[in-house]
Amino acid sequence: MDLVIRDAEVVDGSGDASYRADVAIEGGRITAIVKEAAAAGCLRPTATRVLDAEGLVLSPGFIDMHAHSDLALLRDPDHSAKVAQGVTLEVIGQDGLSYAPVDDRTLAEVRRAITGWNGNGDDIDFTWRSVGEYLDRLDHGFDGEGIAVNAAYLVPQGTVRMLAVGWEDREATPQELDRMRQLVAEGMEQGAVGLSSGLTYTPGMYAKDAELTELCRVVAEYGGYYCPHHRSYGAGALDAYKEMVALTRTANCPLHLAHATMNFGVNKGKAPDLLALLDDALASGADISLDTYPYTPGCTTLVAMLPSWASEGGPEAILARLKDDDTAERIRHHMEVVGADGCHGVPIEWDTIEISGVSEPALAPYVGRTVQQSADERGEAPWTTARRLLLDDGLGSTILQHVGHEENVQEIMRHRVHTGGSDGILQGDKPHPRAYGTFPQYLGRYVRELGVLTLEECVAHLTSRPAARLRLADRGLVREGHRADLVLFDPATVAAGSTFETPRTLPAGIPYVLVDGRFAVEDGRRTDVLAGRAVRRTAG
């Protein structure tokens, strides 16, 4: 064998009780599991290398069901933000906005629209246009060696609408809807695992339910799933969840709810209402899963807070409206008094909006302060500060939004269809710590410290459940014949190192991570291994 991991406490991802075993690996796959080998006096597997795992838990590699590493995987071969957490697969193309399929026009537009998520991409050679070409580029990675972790891709509905309709707030014509169906079908044929939407982001938010249902029908034909960032996580949250359940049931398409939270004051303590809704749907035959991150604040871009009418037409139209005093006053009134749909129907509270990153270095003093704090320091109204920042930073500012509730976070993570997703934005001087800490945060804080989940339950949430949603028959479990995407961690010390003050600190207690049977982390240090590849949709 290439490797034997000896005397590990195996938490195999099934949710069953752990067991002690030797695990042998060859050719990137698990080839033998010998339980209680030492105690039973069995003939133990031998290998070129034997790793003593005494005191360590061996589990499947973690699957990040909601990642924003679409460009990071191509610009950063190290990618320790995820590798060091034990992540071996990320699902990208999230929230309806990503970089394939595109043409020259829409590539420029989407790069501008999500600069706050992924940077402007000036350091990337955008050689692809189709989904298949993007996945091929991931396979090639750095000098043909691959990427740090595996990646699966969702066709982004907002980008598809950009191509077929543009940035207008109107219904698609029959011809445009046919084009969108075709683009989604092509993306699925080329290896995408499903479709994502960002229904509080333009232009995806302009799609009515009938349009989304038709696209979901296409996804269902290919065995994929729909992953919406739905229309509200605030004042209309429950109705928004009901909308997604209903339209996917009409389309007969599996549903995976992105970062399924209940935020803002209006939803304090209302997680049971959401879970009751899901339980009723599951009991009647719906195919539903969800992901969450184990933190209370959210993270997005400052421009996402604007009302949808102010975002129609794309980035240049937004900037023009912000420059016009009368229009800017209308935007302010909508945000502060009415409650903009960009802020989930809740009047914005500027003391909850912390600037986490800027594109223009000269604006760095804003980072780490709330809009209210910066406004107070300047002696001006918070909207004046926010408007200036949007204009001066070319809409590239990212924010932390402190609107979550711990009791909701814990209640949702216990649910039987829950999976883990970081929603990690890696840009900015002060990113959300979830980008570097989600998976050890689950294991350290919510398993060891709080006991919200048992270790076996938690590992299942982070491995086999997402693998089942992605229809990956050979991942997500420690089983003979499965891919050797594995993580070894110390259950007594595993913890997120990232905090809101030091968000890029790597975790503790994860000394070994294997991607395709090769050590991506060894003795707690990142190696130069690039064994990740694009994981394409399984046929059928």
Side-chain angles (χ1 to χ4, degrees):
M1 305 295 176
D2 298 329
L3 171 68
V4 169
I5 300 171
R6 185 156 289 173
D7 291 324
E9 189 67 23
V10 178
V11 178
D12 66 6
S14 67
D16 293 341
S18 66
Y19 57 85
R20 195 175 181 86
D22 294 353
V23 177
I25 295 165
E26 187 173 18
R29 291 189 180 271
I30 299 169
T31 52
I33 301 172
V34 182
K35 296 183 179 181
E36 304 292 347
C42 299
L43 182 63
R44 307 184 78 171
T46 60
T48 304
R49 177 176 177 184
V50 176
L51 174 62
D52 182 3
E54 181 72 35
L56 298 178
V57 166
L58 174 67
S59 82
F62 305 134
I63 297 176
D64 188 342
M65 284 297 286
H66 192 102
H68 287 286
S69 302
D70 306 50
L71 299 185
L73 284 165
L74 295 174
R75 69 158 58 96
D76 178 18
D78 182 77
H79 200 46
S80 284
K82 294 301 179 65
V83 182
Q85 295 185 58
V87 171
T88 58
L89 192 157
E90 297 183 273
V91 185
I92 55 179
Q94 299 284 352
D95 294 329
L97 291 167
S98 190
Y99 305 93
V102 291
D103 57 18
D104 291 347
R105 171 185 65 84
T106 54
L107 175 59
E109 291 172 348
V110 77
R111 285 176 61 183
R112 182 73 176 274
I114 53 176
T115 292
W117 293 356
N118 299 302
N120 57 27
D122 287 345
D123 53 346
I124 301 292
D125 183 10
F126 288 88
T127 55
W128 68 87
R129 292 297 180 269
S130 71
V131 169
E133 290 168 347
Y134 175 65
L135 296 179
D136 289 344
R137 177 64 181 278
L138 291 175
D139 280 339
H140 185 271
F142 299 88
D143 298 325
E145 294 186 28
I147 50 180
V149 302
N150 299 301
Y153 189 73
L154 296 165
V155 178
Q157 172 257 330
T159 303
V160 166
R161 201 171 209 272
M162 236 182 270
L163 270 168
V165 181
W167 291 83
E168 293 78 24
D169 181 4
R170 62 174 176 82
E171 292 189 20
T173 66
Q175 294 78 16
E176 290 167 341
L177 183 56
D178 284 343
R179 175 97 192 280
M180 286 189 279
R181 288 194 196 97
Q182 178 185 6
L183 289 166
V184 172
E186 289 173 353
M188 297 298 294
E189 289 170 358
Q190 292 164 10
V193 295
L195 176 75
S196 76
S197 283
L199 300 179
T200 65
Y201 301 129
T202 55
M205 69 190 310
Y206 300 137
K208 301 294 191 292
D209 284 3
E211 178 180 316
L212 296 172
T213 301
E214 287 303 305
L215 300 185
C216 285
R217 292 187 199 277
V218 176
V219 173
E221 290 173 4
Y222 287 93
Y225 68 94
Y226 181 45
C227 180
H229 164 130
H230 51 272
R231 298 192 194 275
S232 176
Y233 291 81
L238 280 175
D239 286 340
Y241 283 114
K242 291 175 184 176
E243 176 191 10
M244 295 299 101
V245 170
L247 76 84
T248 51
R249 298 208 69 184
T250 300
N252 197 29
C253 182
L255 172 65
H256 180 84
L257 295 165
H259 38 60
T261 58
M262 294 289 285
N263 288 339
F264 302 91
V266 295
N267 289 317
K268 184 175 176 60
K270 290 188 176 181
D273 296 342
L274 166 62
L275 300 182
L277 166 67
L278 299 184
D279 285 338
D280 287 346
L282 290 163
S284 61
D287 184 355
I288 301 173
S289 55
L290 58 88
D291 66 69
T292 70
Y293 47 84
Y295 299 88
T296 52
C299 180
T300 186
T301 56
L302 182 58
V303 67
M305 298 292 99
L306 301 183
S308 57
W309 62 262
S311 298
E312 185 179 4
E316 293 304 323
I318 297 171
L319 291 168
R321 292 185 182 103
L322 288 168
K323 289 174 184 177
D324 180 77
D325 289 342
D326 290 341
T327 307
E329 173 56 23
R330 285 182 58 212
I331 294 172
R332 181 205 66 77
H333 180 79
H334 211 109
M335 294 177 72
E336 294 184 351
V337 180
V338 178
D341 46 7
C343 195
H344 308 278
V346 178
I348 197 163
E349 297 174 333
W350 294 110
D351 59 353
T352 68
I353 306 296
E354 177 185 352
I355 305 302
S356 60
V358 292
S359 297
E360 293 294 330
L363 301 173
Y366 285 99
V367 175
R369 292 180 169 87
T370 67
V371 172
Q372 186 68 59
Q373 287 171 331
S374 291
D376 290 345
E377 290 171 5
R378 292 173 172 272
E380 61 190 17
W383 168 242
T384 301
T385 301
R387 178 188 178 193
R388 179 188 298 109
L389 183 56
L390 286 163
L391 288 168
D392 291 350
D393 205 25
L395 311 180
S397 305
T398 53
I399 63 169
L400 301 180
Q401 196 170 12
H402 296 271
V403 292
H405 307 287
E406 180 65 22
E407 65 270 34
N408 285 348
V409 170
Q410 293 189 23
E411 190 77 19
I412 293 169
M413 75 169 65
R414 291 187 182 100
H415 197 271
R416 65 186 185 280
V417 300
H418 170 265
T419 67
S422 71
D423 197 10
I425 295 175
L426 302 172
Q427 289 296 117
D429 295 326
K430 196 182 177 190
H432 196 301
R434 68 192 185 194
Y436 285 73
T438 285
F439 296 87
Q441 180 82 340
Y442 271 118
L443 297 168
R445 176 165 172 75
Y446 288 95
V447 171
R448 185 180 63 246
E449 296 177 7
L450 299 179
V452 175
L453 297 168
T454 69
L455 181 58
E456 288 85 356
E457 287 172 336
C458 186
V459 169
H461 289 221
L462 307 181
T463 59
S464 64
R465 286 188 190 175
R469 170 51 75 213
L470 296 168
R471 302 182 67 175
L472 302 176
D474 61 352
R475 299 177 194 264
L477 292 166
V478 179
R479 291 282 191 276
E480 292 181 1
H482 276 52
R483 293 275 186 180
D485 292 344
L486 300 166
V487 58
L488 281 154
F489 62 90
D490 184 343
T493 63
V494 63
S498 59
T499 66
F500 289 99
E501 291 70 34
T502 58
R504 296 185 188 275
T505 305
L506 298 180
I510 306 179
Y512 299 99
V513 180
L514 292 91
V515 178
D516 201 35
R518 300 167 63 192
F519 283 100
V521 174
E522 187 171 7
D523 294 323
R525 294 184 176 86
R526 177 72 171 98
T527 69
D528 60 1
V529 164
L530 295 171
R533 298 292 186 273
V535 175
R536 290 166 172 81
R537 178 188 58 83
T538 302

mmCIF file of all heavy atoms in Angstrom, residues 350-377:
data_model
loop_
_atom_site.group_PDB
_atom_site.id
_atom_site.type_symbol
_atom_site.label_atom_id
_atom_site.label_comp_id
_atom_site.label_asym_id
_atom_site.label_seq_id
_atom_site.Cartn_x
_atom_site.Cartn_y
_atom_site.Cartn_z
ATOM 1 N N TRP A 350 -27.624 51.035 10.755
ATOM 2 C CA TRP A 350 -26.245 51.237 10.327
ATOM 3 C C TRP A 350 -25.230 50.786 11.372
ATOM 4 O O TRP A 350 -24.075 50.507 11.032
ATOM 5 C CB TRP A 350 -26.025 52.714 9.973
ATOM 6 C CG TRP A 350 -26.803 53.153 8.768
ATOM 7 C CD1 TRP A 350 -27.872 53.999 8.735
ATOM 8 C CD2 TRP A 350 -26.567 52.756 7.410
ATOM 9 N NE1 TRP A 350 -28.324 54.163 7.455
ATOM 10 C CE2 TRP A 350 -27.538 53.413 6.609
ATOM 11 C CE3 TRP A 350 -25.631 51.924 6.798
ATOM 12 C CZ2 TRP A 350 -27.579 53.260 5.228
ATOM 13 C CZ3 TRP A 350 -25.683 51.763 5.414
ATOM 14 C CH2 TRP A 350 -26.650 52.428 4.644
ATOM 15 N N ASP A 351 -25.660 50.654 12.614
ATOM 16 C CA ASP A 351 -24.713 50.182 13.623
ATOM 17 C C ASP A 351 -24.527 48.667 13.573
ATOM 18 O O ASP A 351 -23.702 48.116 14.310
ATOM 19 C CB ASP A 351 -25.129 50.611 15.033
ATOM 20 C CG ASP A 351 -26.507 50.106 15.438
ATOM 21 O OD1 ASP A 351 -27.205 49.525 14.583
ATOM 22 O OD2 ASP A 351 -26.880 50.295 16.610
ATOM 23 N N THR A 352 -25.274 47.968 12.697
ATOM 24 C CA THR A 352 -25.058 46.533 12.490
ATOM 25 C C THR A 352 -24.218 46.252 11.241
ATOM 26 O O THR A 352 -23.866 45.109 10.984
ATOM 27 C CB THR A 352 -26.388 45.782 12.345
ATOM 28 O OG1 THR A 352 -27.033 46.158 11.107
ATOM 29 C CG2 THR A 352 -27.320 46.078 13.516
ATOM 30 N N ILE A 353 -23.897 47.288 10.483
ATOM 31 C CA ILE A 353 -23.193 47.120 9.203
ATOM 32 C C ILE A 353 -21.726 47.493 9.405
ATOM 33 O O ILE A 353 -21.357 48.667 9.481
ATOM 34 C CB ILE A 353 -23.817 48.002 8.100
ATOM 35 C CG1 ILE A 353 -25.322 47.754 7.986
ATOM 36 C CG2 ILE A 353 -23.094 47.764 6.776
ATOM 37 C CD1 ILE A 353 -25.698 46.370 7.563
ATOM 38 N N GLU A 354 -20.876 46.467 9.498
ATOM 39 C CA GLU A 354 -19.438 46.671 9.694
ATOM 40 C C GLU A 354 -18.713 46.467 8.365
ATOM 41 O O GLU A 354 -18.901 45.449 7.689
ATOM 42 C CB GLU A 354 -18.900 45.682 10.718
ATOM 43 C CG GLU A 354 -17.397 45.779 10.940
ATOM 44 C CD GLU A 354 -16.866 44.705 11.881
ATOM 45 O OE1 GLU A 354 -17.688 43.980 12.482
ATOM 46 O OE2 GLU A 354 -15.634 44.587 11.998
ATOM 47 N N ILE A 355 -17.883 47.415 7.976
ATOM 48 C CA ILE A 355 -17.117 47.286 6.743
ATOM 49 C C ILE A 355 -15.990 46.277 6.977
ATOM 50 O O ILE A 355 -15.166 46.447 7.867
ATOM 51 C CB ILE A 355 -16.548 48.639 6.287
ATOM 52 C CG1 ILE A 355 -17.676 49.676 6.142
ATOM 53 C CG2 ILE A 355 -15.787 48.484 4.968
ATOM 54 C CD1 ILE A 355 -18.770 49.304 5.179
ATOM 55 N N SER A 356 -15.971 45.223 6.154
ATOM 56 C CA SER A 356 -14.958 44.171 6.331
ATOM 57 C C SER A 356 -13.873 44.203 5.276
ATOM 58 O O SER A 356 -12.811 43.596 5.462
ATOM 59 C CB SER A 356 -15.636 42.792 6.321
ATOM 60 O OG SER A 356 -16.314 42.571 5.099
ATOM 61 N N GLY A 357 -14.115 44.883 4.160
ATOM 62 C CA GLY A 357 -13.099 44.962 3.124
ATOM 63 C C GLY A 357 -13.422 46.026 2.115
ATOM 64 O O GLY A 357 -14.599 46.366 1.898
ATOM 65 N N VAL A 358 -12.390 46.586 1.503
ATOM 66 C CA VAL A 358 -12.541 47.597 0.462
ATOM 67 C C VAL A 358 -11.630 47.244 -0.695
ATOM 68 O O VAL A 358 -10.612 46.563 -0.526
ATOM 69 C CB VAL A 358 -12.220 49.015 0.982
ATOM 70 C CG1 VAL A 358 -13.265 49.482 1.983
ATOM 71 C CG2 VAL A 358 -10.826 49.066 1.596
ATOM 72 N N SER A 359 -11.975 47.711 -1.878
ATOM 73 C CA SER A 359 -11.142 47.484 -3.060
ATOM 74 C C SER A 359 -10.064 48.541 -3.207
ATOM 75 O O SER A 359 -8.970 48.259 -3.697
ATOM 76 C CB SER A 359 -12.020 47.454 -4.318
ATOM 77 O OG SER A 359 -12.935 46.389 -4.267
ATOM 78 N N GLU A 360 -10.365 49.775 -2.791
ATOM 79 C CA GLU A 360 -9.411 50.879 -2.894
ATOM 80 C C GLU A 360 -8.611 50.990 -1.597
ATOM 81 O O GLU A 360 -9.186 51.223 -0.528
ATOM 82 C CB GLU A 360 -10.144 52.195 -3.163
ATOM 83 C CG GLU A 360 -10.809 52.265 -4.517
ATOM 84 C CD GLU A 360 -9.794 52.255 -5.651
ATOM 85 O OE1 GLU A 360 -8.667 52.747 -5.447
ATOM 86 O OE2 GLU A 360 -10.129 51.733 -6.727
ATOM 87 N N PRO A 361 -7.283 50.829 -1.660
ATOM 88 C CA PRO A 361 -6.462 50.859 -0.436
ATOM 89 C C PRO A 361 -6.637 52.129 0.391
ATOM 90 O O PRO A 361 -6.539 52.087 1.621
ATOM 91 C CB PRO A 361 -5.037 50.729 -0.970
ATOM 92 C CG PRO A 361 -5.186 50.010 -2.274
ATOM 93 C CD PRO A 361 -6.474 50.511 -2.855
ATOM 94 N N ALA A 362 -6.912 53.252 -0.257
ATOM 95 C CA ALA A 362 -7.039 54.510 0.476
ATOM 96 C C ALA A 362 -8.240 54.511 1.422
ATOM 97 O O ALA A 362 -8.311 55.343 2.341
ATOM 98 C CB ALA A 362 -7.163 55.674 -0.507
ATOM 99 N N LEU A 363 -9.170 53.574 1.214
ATOM 100 C CA LEU A 363 -10.373 53.524 2.041
ATOM 101 C C LEU A 363 -10.216 52.579 3.231
ATOM 102 O O LEU A 363 -11.179 52.325 3.964
ATOM 103 C CB LEU A 363 -11.564 53.090 1.188
ATOM 104 C CG LEU A 363 -11.886 53.993 -0.010
ATOM 105 C CD1 LEU A 363 -12.970 53.374 -0.871
ATOM 106 C CD2 LEU A 363 -12.297 55.388 0.454
ATOM 107 N N ALA A 364 -9.017 52.068 3.452
ATOM 108 C CA ALA A 364 -8.783 51.099 4.525
ATOM 109 C C ALA A 364 -9.230 51.574 5.908
ATOM 110 O O ALA A 364 -9.624 50.746 6.734
ATOM 111 C CB ALA A 364 -7.303 50.713 4.561
ATOM 112 N N PRO A 365 -9.189 52.874 6.229
ATOM 113 C CA PRO A 365 -9.659 53.297 7.562
ATOM 114 C C PRO A 365 -11.114 52.949 7.864
ATOM 115 O O PRO A 365 -11.507 52.925 9.041
ATOM 116 C CB PRO A 365 -9.447 54.808 7.543
ATOM 117 C CG PRO A 365 -8.289 55.017 6.613
ATOM 118 C CD PRO A 365 -8.510 53.991 5.527
ATOM 119 N N TYR A 366 -11.920 52.678 6.839
ATOM 120 C CA TYR A 366 -13.306 52.268 7.090
ATOM 121 C C TYR A 366 -13.390 50.847 7.651
ATOM 122 O O TYR A 366 -14.372 50.483 8.313
ATOM 123 C CB TYR A 366 -14.116 52.307 5.789
ATOM 124 C CG TYR A 366 -14.492 53.684 5.303
ATOM 125 C CD1 TYR A 366 -13.748 54.318 4.310
ATOM 126 C CD2 TYR A 366 -15.610 54.337 5.810
ATOM 127 C CE1 TYR A 366 -14.091 55.569 3.838
ATOM 128 C CE2 TYR A 366 -15.973 55.599 5.352
ATOM 129 C CZ TYR A 366 -15.206 56.211 4.371
ATOM 130 O OH TYR A 366 -15.551 57.456 3.908
ATOM 131 N N VAL A 367 -12.395 50.014 7.362
ATOM 132 C CA VAL A 367 -12.465 48.591 7.676
ATOM 133 C C VAL A 367 -12.409 48.379 9.187
ATOM 134 O O VAL A 367 -11.592 48.964 9.892
ATOM 135 C CB VAL A 367 -11.319 47.825 6.988
ATOM 136 C CG1 VAL A 367 -11.315 46.364 7.419
ATOM 137 C CG2 VAL A 367 -11.452 47.937 5.470
ATOM 138 N N GLY A 368 -13.300 47.521 9.668
ATOM 139 C CA GLY A 368 -13.375 47.229 11.093
ATOM 140 C C GLY A 368 -14.288 48.162 11.864
ATOM 141 O O GLY A 368 -14.469 47.985 13.074
ATOM 142 N N ARG A 369 -14.865 49.144 11.188
ATOM 143 C CA ARG A 369 -15.813 50.067 11.824
ATOM 144 C C ARG A 369 -17.197 49.869 11.210
ATOM 145 O O ARG A 369 -17.331 49.557 10.034
ATOM 146 C CB ARG A 369 -15.392 51.522 11.607
ATOM 147 C CG ARG A 369 -14.113 51.935 12.337
ATOM 148 C CD ARG A 369 -13.820 53.408 12.027
ATOM 149 N NE ARG A 369 -12.781 53.960 12.870
ATOM 150 C CZ ARG A 369 -11.485 53.885 12.599
ATOM 151 N NH1 ARG A 369 -11.082 53.270 11.486
ATOM 152 N NH2 ARG A 369 -10.587 54.416 13.408
ATOM 153 N N THR A 370 -18.222 50.102 12.002
ATOM 154 C CA THR A 370 -19.557 50.127 11.437
ATOM 155 C C THR A 370 -19.749 51.436 10.680
ATOM 156 O O THR A 370 -19.018 52.414 10.888
ATOM 157 C CB THR A 370 -20.641 50.013 12.523
ATOM 158 O OG1 THR A 370 -20.611 51.188 13.332
ATOM 159 C CG2 THR A 370 -20.426 48.773 13.384
ATOM 160 N N VAL A 371 -20.718 51.432 9.794
ATOM 161 C CA VAL A 371 -21.034 52.664 9.071
ATOM 162 C C VAL A 371 -21.409 53.760 10.063
ATOM 163 O O VAL A 371 -21.026 54.930 9.899
ATOM 164 C CB VAL A 371 -22.159 52.411 8.052
ATOM 165 C CG1 VAL A 371 -22.642 53.722 7.442
ATOM 166 C CG2 VAL A 371 -21.687 51.452 6.966
ATOM 167 N N GLN A 372 -22.158 53.389 11.118
ATOM 168 C CA GLN A 372 -22.547 54.370 12.128
ATOM 169 C C GLN A 372 -21.328 54.971 12.817
ATOM 170 O O GLN A 372 -21.261 56.191 13.040
ATOM 171 C CB GLN A 372 -23.455 53.709 13.160
ATOM 172 C CG GLN A 372 -24.046 54.679 14.181
ATOM 173 C CD GLN A 372 -25.035 55.631 13.558
ATOM 174 O OE1 GLN A 372 -26.036 55.200 12.992
ATOM 175 N NE2 GLN A 372 -24.784 56.941 13.651
ATOM 176 N N GLN A 373 -20.335 54.143 13.158
ATOM 177 C CA GLN A 373 -19.129 54.648 13.815
ATOM 178 C C GLN A 373 -18.368 55.616 12.916
ATOM 179 O O GLN A 373 -17.922 56.685 13.364
ATOM 180 C CB GLN A 373 -18.228 53.480 14.214
ATOM 181 C CG GLN A 373 -18.739 52.679 15.394
ATOM 182 C CD GLN A 373 -17.947 51.403 15.618
ATOM 183 O OE1 GLN A 373 -17.398 50.816 14.685
ATOM 184 N NE2 GLN A 373 -17.876 50.965 16.872
ATOM 185 N N SER A 374 -18.203 55.251 11.648
ATOM 186 C CA SER A 374 -17.492 56.141 10.725
ATOM 187 C C SER A 374 -18.254 57.444 10.519
ATOM 188 O O SER A 374 -17.649 58.526 10.435
ATOM 189 C CB SER A 374 -17.284 55.439 9.380
ATOM 190 O OG SER A 374 -16.357 54.386 9.501
ATOM 191 N N ALA A 375 -19.572 57.351 10.463
ATOM 192 C CA ALA A 375 -20.376 58.561 10.310
ATOM 193 C C ALA A 375 -20.243 59.464 11.530
ATOM 194 O O ALA A 375 -20.102 60.693 11.404
ATOM 195 C CB ALA A 375 -21.836 58.188 10.079
ATOM 196 N N ASP A 376 -20.271 58.869 12.727
ATOM 197 C CA ASP A 376 -20.132 59.659 13.948
ATOM 198 C C ASP A 376 -18.783 60.361 13.994
ATOM 199 O O ASP A 376 -18.682 61.527 14.416
ATOM 200 C CB ASP A 376 -20.292 58.763 15.179
ATOM 201 C CG ASP A 376 -21.716 58.263 15.360
ATOM 202 O OD1 ASP A 376 -22.632 58.832 14.719
ATOM 203 O OD2 ASP A 376 -21.911 57.300 16.123
ATOM 204 N N GLU A 377 -17.739 59.647 13.567
ATOM 205 C CA GLU A 377 -16.408 60.256 13.565
ATOM 206 C C GLU A 377 -16.331 61.437 12.602
ATOM 207 O O GLU A 377 -15.592 62.386 12.836
ATOM 208 C CB GLU A 377 -15.369 59.204 13.192
ATOM 209 C CG GLU A 377 -15.155 58.144 14.268
ATOM 210 C CD GLU A 377 -14.291 56.995 13.775
ATOM 211 O OE1 GLU A 377 -13.791 57.083 12.631
ATOM 212 O OE2 GLU A 377 -14.124 56.020 14.527
#
